[in-house]
Amino acid sequence: MTRGIFLAGNESALSRAIEAEAVNKVEQFAAALIPNRLSGAPKNSPQDISQRIPLEWNPSSPISARTLAIAAENRLERIDEAILLCSPPSIRSSAAELPISDVDIMINDHVKGWFYLVKELAAIFSARKRGVLALVYPDIPSSGKDDSADVLGPSALASFRAMTQGLLSAAHNEPYITAGFSTSDTGNEAAFASFLFKSLDEITAKSNGKMHKFGKFKLF
């Protein structure tokens, strides 16, 4: 194994594009997908990629985060790049009809889970004194007024964005590299995935703590 790539996140257009690009980089990579447990949400099956080493993950459990990080390290021999992708599913509902179970799931799986996993990966990279922690998310502007707006997804995304900014600000204190990646170009996931890996290929200690933005917001 020449390069250990570990991807974690929910199944989405972005995750599919990143996996497709990873296939061009390494013979095998490890991936842990967040299970879709939200009510009424389509149960999408992950794409069939022979190069993927699938790993189980219960994001709501700190023990599962530790087990996942160790499993990824063991299967890959080492983790060189951990790509954490936050692209929460959309749940459109009025505030009065918002399912309580979905609130719990979103907070556990798409908020708390990231803090648990970052802690474990940071411990591994700190011990090795090397590694790249890449934090990835879509940066899409609000669509304006909506009778049934998505409240949960953007809230989870805002938490991940804030966590990313905090980690980037503190990156100079760490012996590993932390980098942020965002895209505002919906529908051009393949190009973003190519941009992501090109940036990772060229990353150096000088770019530690940098935010890499892809695409431009369209003004109407």
Side-chain angles (χ1 to χ4, degrees), residues 122-202:
I124 290 175
F125 289 156
S126 294
R128 288 183 54 212
K129 299 189 181 304
R130 63 178 302 176
V132 177
L133 180 64
L135 302 145
V136 184
Y137 59 88
D139 198 1
I140 309 301
S142 173
S143 58
K145 294 182 179 180
D146 195 328
D147 291 337
S148 58
D150 178 14
V151 177
L152 293 179
S155 297
L157 186 58
S159 171
F160 187 87
R161 186 187 299 114
M163 180 187 71
T164 297
Q165 292 301 324
L167 292 171
L168 293 178
S169 297
H172 65 282
N173 292 323
E174 305 295 348
Y176 56 88
I177 295 175
T178 303
F181 296 87
S182 69
T183 175
S184 58
D185 200 349
T186 304
N188 202 11
E189 287 80 11
F192 172 69
S194 177
F195 165 79
L196 167 64
F197 277 99
K198 183 176 186 297
S199 300
L200 291 176
D201 289 342
E202 300 173 352

Side-chain angles (χ1 to χ4, degrees), residues 28-212:
Q28 283 189 313
F29 65 94
L33 297 180
I34 299 174
N36 192 341
R37 302 189 294 123
L38 295 168
S39 62
K43 305 302 180 183
N44 295 327
S45 299
Q47 57 188 345
D48 185 16
I49 298 179
S50 59
Q51 292 94 330
R52 181 203 297 126
I53 301 173
L55 300 175
E56 295 294 327
W57 180 27
N58 175 9
S60 65
S61 167
I63 295 176
S64 180
R66 177 171 299 180
T67 302
L68 173 61
I70 294 173
E73 192 174 33
N74 288 340
R75 295 296 299 274
L76 293 171
E77 297 182 7
R78 68 178 185 275
I79 302 174
D80 294 306
E81 297 158 9
I83 302 173
L84 308 188
L85 168 62
C86 180
S87 181
S90 175
I91 296 295
R92 295 190 172 274
S93 171
S94 66
E97 298 176 348
L98 194 62
I100 296 301
S101 60
D102 285 351
V103 175
D104 286 339
I105 290 170
M106 187 66 76
I107 292 175
N108 286 329
D109 291 2
H110 298 276
V111 177
K112 289 167 59 177
W114 290 121
F115 289 95
Y116 295 150
L117 186 55
V118 163
K119 169 181 169 57
E120 299 302 332
L121 292 170
I124 290 175
F125 289 156
S126 294
R128 288 183 54 212
K129 299 189 181 304
R130 63 178 302 176
V132 177
L133 180 64
L135 302 145
V136 184
Y137 59 88
D139 198 1
I140 309 301
S142 173
S143 58
K145 294 182 179 180
D146 195 328
D147 291 337
S148 58
D150 178 14
V151 177
L152 293 179
S155 297
L157 186 58
S159 171
F160 187 87
R161 186 187 299 114
M163 180 187 71
T164 297
Q165 292 301 324
L167 292 171
L168 293 178
S169 297
H172 65 282
N173 292 323
E174 305 295 348
Y176 56 88
I177 295 175
T178 303
F181 296 87
S182 69
T183 175
S184 58
D185 200 349
T186 304
N188 202 11
E189 287 80 11
F192 172 69
S194 177
F195 165 79
L196 167 64
F197 277 99
K198 183 176 186 297
S199 300
L200 291 176
D201 289 342
E202 300 173 352
I203 206 163
T204 65
K206 291 183 178 180
S207 56
N208 191 18
K210 182 180 178 180
M211 187 72 210
H212 305 258

